[in-house]
Amino acid sequence: MASPAMRPLTGPGAFAVVMATCVLSIDTATVGWRTSSAVLCGLAAVAYVVLLVAAIRRLATEPRTVRADLRDPGTMFAFFTFVVASETLAVRLASTPVAIPLAAAGLAVWIGLSYCLPIMLVGRRVTGSGLRDVNGTWCLWAVGTQAVASAAAAIAAVDPTDRTALAT
């Protein structure tokens, strides 16, 4: 099991740093601060890779802990930070070859979480309602949905005549 000090790197909400950094990168690009935007994008990309490796390692070495986080109403929606991180990075890198794989990864996890989490929440074997234990992280579900749409729009805008880009 990971030490408590490693929890921010491996926990379900770990990708929040990538989300925030990508948003700042996109915004600084919008106002013309190209160097700042490029540095922030680079930081976000490095953080994404490091966190992805840590998440895969955690999944392989601590599957029970991951399942417990997925079943816990207080942490289950934090997994959407991976979706938002993938999709915002895809938006920022929309004109590059990595945009579609990033968007596809985010979409695949979004589909899985969107169907599985409500079932797990409703099907909890506890006294009372699992809904009472849900915190504000449920909003990440809506943010993830918006991010999926934003990435699809950004990728489609790169070449509006290529209708197959998102279908591949």
Side-chain angles (χ1 to χ4, degrees), residues 16-104:
V17 67
V18 178
M19 292 169 37
T21 306
C22 279
V23 168
L24 290 174
S25 178
I26 292 165
D27 289 348
T28 54
T30 301
V31 297
W33 298 353
R34 304 240 183 271
T35 303
S36 296
S37 177
V39 168
L40 289 166
C41 182
L43 288 172
V46 168
Y48 184 88
V49 171
V50 167
L51 292 172
L52 185 60
V53 169
I56 291 168
R57 180 183 173 279
R58 179 175 183 244
L59 188 59
T61 61
E62 303 175 38
R64 279 189 260 167
T65 307
V66 174
R67 279 193 302 274
D69 284 341
L70 280 166
R71 290 182 180 132
D72 180 357
T75 59
M76 63 177 25
F77 292 101
F79 284 95
F80 278 102
T81 62
F82 173 80
V83 173
V84 181
S86 300
E87 301 297 342
T88 53
L89 201 51
V91 168
R92 177 60 180 83
L93 300 172
S95 62
T96 70
V98 299
I100 292 175
L102 283 167

